[in-house]
Amino acid sequence: MTTRYFGQRIKRNEDPRLLTGQALFVDDVNFPDLLHVAYVRSPYAHARIKRIDVSKALERPGVAAAYTAADLGDYWRVGPLLVSPPPVRDIVFNERTQPILAKDKVRHVGEGVVAIVAESRYIAEDAVADVVVDYEPLPVNVDVRKTLEPDATLLHEDLDQNLAAHVIQHKGDYEAAKAKADVVIAREFWYDRGTAAAMENRGVVAQWDARFQKLTIWDTTQAPVVIRNGMAAMLGLSESQVRVIAPFIGGGFGPKIMMFYPEEMLIPWLAMKLNRPVKWIEDRSENFYTTTQERGQWHESEIALSKEGKILGVRDVFWHDSGAYDPYGLTVPINTQCTLLGMYDVPNYATEFKAVFTNKPIVTPYRGAGRQHGVFVMERLLDAAAKELGLDKTEIRRRNFLTPDQFPHNHKIIYQDFTELTYDSGDYEPILAKAKEMIGYDEFYKTLKPQAEKEGKLLGLGLVCYVEGTGIGPYEGARVQIQANGRVSVATGVGTQGQGHFTSFAQVVADQVGIPPDEIDVITGDTDQFHWGVGTFASRGAVVAGNAIHAASKRVRQRILDLASEEFNVPPEELEIGNGRVCVIGDPQKTMLLGDLANKANPLRGAVKPGSEPGLEATDYFGPPMGATAAGAHAMILEIDPDTMMIEVKRYVVVHDCGKVINPLILDGQVHGGVAQGLGNAFYEELVFDEQGQLLNGSFMDYLLPTALDVPRIEVGHHETPSPLNEMGVKGAGEAGAIPAAPLFVQAVEDALRAGGIELEITQIPLSPKRLWELVETTKAE
Amino acid sequence: MKPAPFEYHAPDSLEAALALRAEHGDEAKALAGGQSLIPAMNFRIAQPALLVDLNGVDELRFIRMEGDELRIGAMTTQNTLERSELAAKHQPLLFETVPFVAHPQIRNRGTLGGSIAHADPAAELPVAAVALDARMKAQSVDGERWIPAKQFFQGFFTVDLQPNEYLTEIAFPAMPPRTGWSFMEVARRHGDYAMCGVAARVTLDGKGKCKAARLVYLNVGEGPVDAEGAAALLVGEKITPESSAAAAEKASAEISPFGSVHASPEYQTHLARVLTKRALRRAHERAQAAS
């Protein structure tokens, strides 16, 4: 039989094109009569717009048009609510989404006020300076808790406070559990904002073809089908009149999901209105204000335990910074609520959050999507508990793991996919054991650390655990077609932003049709190639689209067998498929190229049998009943310079269980990228807003992304607990690397400082050498 | 992020460049490596009316010895400098400093003259120039003059150049015998503008005591900060942990850091103390080795 490609460490099909500059990105789309857009954006975080004068801009040679909110007439609108609030009892949710252009007032710096359309981006930017806007500045809300105070100025004046949502969920009875507890630990935590900083910024190009009555939109979106449907509705077109192409995209990470960003809504309308193709490419300065961000949660948390270290209950109350609008509903704070429970058996859980409006850029999911906040809180509480109880930090975790016989495990609270949070499968002790073994846990404390202490070095080890809810519904679909030249075409509705779909999806198909992955062409992100779908987010590509492709491939396989069975006049079980052929077992003469069979299945004369279809092709869909829960443990060793508080990560170990692995090479890459972003969140990256809502570090000079020099070599170990929810047994892995880095990092820092006689507790993230130095100085002074 | 409109000239000789400068004065902004200017123009922080691109002026690219002085043309790239055997041999402090300037890609285009004329208080090369008592050659259609480094840097992005002059050459005099050196900085990531940095020079007398010293800091003032008081404390003393600590303490009073999103003035001052002690130790070791 043929090689099995599923599970192989195969190099990526897409890389030759990407590495040789042959891949199409949105900004590569050009037309001779293309118009360019630049925006006049608000310099204020909160202000009333008193007057806009675009007359001077319109006089500038090369300027085609300038639009204010008023100029949009009936087309002025706010973006749709993308995810409605989940069915939690007594939930409060105030839907306030972003306008296509600011009308009457602006609510964060960078909000678009005027769109200038010109013959070049240069001219458009020159004309931006010609526009006069009179603002009346209003008091600014930046603090996540102060914005709810009675005298806070309202962002949305039709509300009686700056409250976006209020959600309370309960499992069991926390207060009763607390009454019986031997130890109760209460802490406050702050997790600040960061930005995804995708290598490619956002961009939209739209072309209206009046003769074909067809609109084509090239868009850096993770969800082209959703954008097509939305744009068709907004523009009064049928879905077949709109084609959205999400070509190669330089990183999505969540903020490119399906926002209906103001520019996404405006550029296609301009192209139709002006009857010329129009392009807008976000620059990096704009990206810092206008692409959605994440983080910004204040937690007041409590854990109740028995003296053996068993968790009796957890209570967590938090404030979530939504930014100025809440188009993505409650996905981020709900993820926080649910992921906090981690790998642990928490019998009683009381959780409450208030999502609030602030005069800062909008918050929507970014890799981890609120999960890391929950993990930070739980892991920090366990660290404090371990210290209090004199338990080893890994032992307190082990004692509280859900055990294999507890799966599927229903946590009885509502998750982001609206179902009760239920872990499908898991086996956590081996993950912890493997992480300890790989990092050399016992050896570290027996030999390495005492030795380092003697040399005056501050060496610390961290080890934390997490779960990652992945692969949620509702569904994805795929069409698999064998071409006459023997290659396979696979089309699906998801977008792709570097995850390796062109290879891992090909591997799934290859095993069914007996054609190697490099002869399989995967097409993603073109709504004219596949009509149905949802998008790439929540680590769902491999799980949901992957299983749809698997199902379609199986049907194509069956079709090959049926047709060949007729052709050779033998029963299907006497046939085998491989090397691009189908042949009769034991009769080398009876063989046929699959391309030829595909040709035969598409006759030009005669007739296909009634009830059958032409071609070697099948379409299928997959929708899981609920998400698949992946899990893992990260461990690290770091060293702190005792004088400067600069930190060097010496080793980083990841043990991850995402069920069956399609391509370990691609999985490693996903984990590496996630860890880099996680380390960024822990130690390098922080969006620093002042009290006026102005970003103080809005460029890559001061917003510090960890570079190749700052990210350590990452050692990856795997554990495999197949998901029972899908035939391939896969779970998602896109966010795992990023989720636990912050609590891991601070735990290791505390461990290292302990060697220097400094006992402190870190409750804020991100950390920096400056902040660490201040903490250490304060501790010493005390 | 597109620059405002500007006029562009690319002269192929110094004479032609100076003629443009004479004609347009301060309007004629020199384009050297462009690693600071072009981003500033793209942010529209800088909107020069006219760019004079000096990259075609080959006569400003050289590294040579004149007597015991190392002479470097203003348009010599940092990349060339960090590979120069002459620089390694005759100006080891300068040579040690260059790799701290940003990243290799930036040093491929960035020039010595560009960095010095730009006078960013966080830049490394101006600090090395002051620590080494370098001299700057300013040229105009009317002639040339030499300016000592300490006078050349006049504050925040400000240097002693007249509207008709360009910086064309930098001269580094030989270090005295029995001299050790060190350049150290603390940056969030390698290649970032540092939160604090120091160039240290120690010259010993025949008995191993400090005969002369220099301690010059970056990013803790409006330009290179020459801590003369701290250096003076060391003269006549042995370089020990105690004398270094005293110098560090004195230096911490001579600097005036502004703070940034990455470092408070207090943390910068703390780093200055740490770096002073470390750099003096290293410079002292080298001075002893050279004795």
Side-chain angles (χ1 to χ4, degrees), chain A residues 69 111 136 310 529 681 723:
Chain A
E111 219 178 327
E136 178 194 326
K310 280 289 282 181
Q529 292 280 342
N681 300 150
S723 174

Side-chain angles (χ1 to χ4, degrees), chain A residues 171-185:
Chain A
K171 170 193 184 186
D173 183 345
Y174 173 72
E175 291 304 326
K178 183 182 174 182
K180 287 185 221 145
D182 297 313
V183 177
V184 176
I185 285 164

Side-chain angles (χ1 to χ4, degrees), chain A residues 125 283 643-644 683 705, chain B residues 1-2 188-189 267 270:
Chain A
E125 289 193 19
D283 66 32
D643 297 323
T644 63
F683 192 56
L705 295 166
Chain B
M1 298 187 82
K2 305 291 183 201
R188 287 298 317 268
R189 303 169 302 184
Y267 180 56
H270 168 75

Side-chain angles (χ1 to χ4, degrees), chain A residues 121-122 125-126 283-285 641 643-644 646 683-684 696 700-702 704-705 710 768-770 773-774, chain B residues 1-5 43-44 186-190 192-193 195 261-264 266-267 270-271 274 278:
Chain A
R121 178 68 180 245
Y122 287 88
E125 289 193 19
D126 292 342
D283 66 32
R284 187 58 69 180
S285 294
D641 180 323
D643 297 323
T644 63
M646 295 291 287
F683 192 56
Y684 294 97
L696 301 180
F700 283 158
M701 196 170 98
D702 281 323
L704 308 180
L705 295 166
D710 310 300
S768 66
K770 169 192 73 171
W773 178 74
E774 286 163 356
Chain B
M1 298 187 82
K2 305 291 183 201
F43 278 116
R44 297 197 177 213
V186 179
R188 287 298 317 268
R189 303 169 302 184
H190 182 84
D192 282 337
Y193 281 119
M195 296 180 283
V261 292
H262 308 302
S264 59
E266 294 76 21
Y267 180 56
H270 168 75
L271 290 177
V274 172
R278 290 183 179 179

